[in-house]
Amino acid sequence: MIGSAFEIHNVSGAIRDAVAPVFLLTGIGSILGVLIGRLGRSIDRARFLTDAPDEKRERFMDELKIIVRRTNWLRRAIGLATFAALCICVSIASMFLSVETGLRLPHLVMISFIISMASLILALLCFLREIVLASREVIVPYQQLEKQKKP
């Protein structure tokens, strides 16, 4: 229980220090929303293509292969972003545990934050790769149309 002004000052300092990671957590949540939305659209498109009649499905195999690769990159990005968010939570929780218990946990805060940043960087790189693959979905059908036009 918080009793003295010194303890209140320590708790308010922990809250102040936790504000930036909480904003980061909000940003990661927004990124996750985008990733999950893209994953859902990719899955819906893949289902549509696999439900197509056999004669049409052959025409869409290149697109389906790209969608499968996209979903794999999105799954990686979602996993890494979620792991980054969990590490931020550990960092915030360890700040408050440090204040409450008097344990000195700066290394835990620092390591969990660094791991979170590394995971977030990897998640964004996976997202970038997925975007490159998504742009191929536009290019591949266009190239196929161009080939059909040429005699």
Side-chain angles (χ1 to χ4, degrees):
M1 189 67 131
I2 299 173
S4 71
F6 178 73
E7 290 171 335
I8 291 173
H9 178 72
N10 284 344
V11 171
S12 67
I15 291 170
R16 184 183 58 248
D17 292 344
V19 169
V22 168
F23 281 122
L24 178 60
L25 203 54
T26 303
I28 292 172
S30 298
I31 291 169
L32 280 169
V34 169
L35 293 171
I36 290 167
R38 291 180 70 87
L39 180 63
R41 287 194 304 275
S42 294
I43 289 171
D44 289 344
R45 179 68 178 161
R47 285 182 182 151
F48 174 78
L49 295 177
T50 55
D51 290 344
D54 289 338
E55 62 275 359
K56 288 186 178 181
R57 193 177 311 143
E58 288 299 320
R59 211 174 65 199
F60 296 120
M61 285 309 290
D62 289 336
E63 182 182 355
L64 191 56
K65 287 177 187 175
I66 292 171
I67 291 172
V68 169
R69 290 177 63 199
R70 282 182 61 199
T71 57
N72 285 331
W73 283 105
L74 284 167
R75 287 176 46 220
R76 288 181 190 116
I78 290 168
L80 287 164
T82 301
F83 184 69
L86 290 171
C87 287
I88 292 294
C89 291
V90 167
S91 181
I92 293 168
S94 60
M95 280 188 239
F96 285 104
L97 280 173
S98 180
V99 169
E100 182 60 29
T101 63
L103 292 173
R104 301 190 67 107
L105 302 172
H107 289 98
L108 180 59
V109 173
M110 180 183 66
I111 290 169
S112 62
F113 195 80
I114 290 170
I115 291 171
S116 175
M117 289 297 96
S119 183
L120 185 58
I121 289 167
L122 292 173
L124 292 171
L125 288 172
C126 290
F127 181 43
L128 182 62
R129 180 66 181 142
E130 186 273 336
I131 289 175
V132 168
L133 290 171
S135 65
R136 284 188 186 167
E137 282 185 54
V138 175
I139 295 168
V140 168
Y142 175 77
Q143 289 173 340
Q144 289 174 347
L145 286 174
E146 288 295 314
K147 286 179 186 177
Q148 291 173 357
K149 287 180 183 179
K150 293 181 182 178

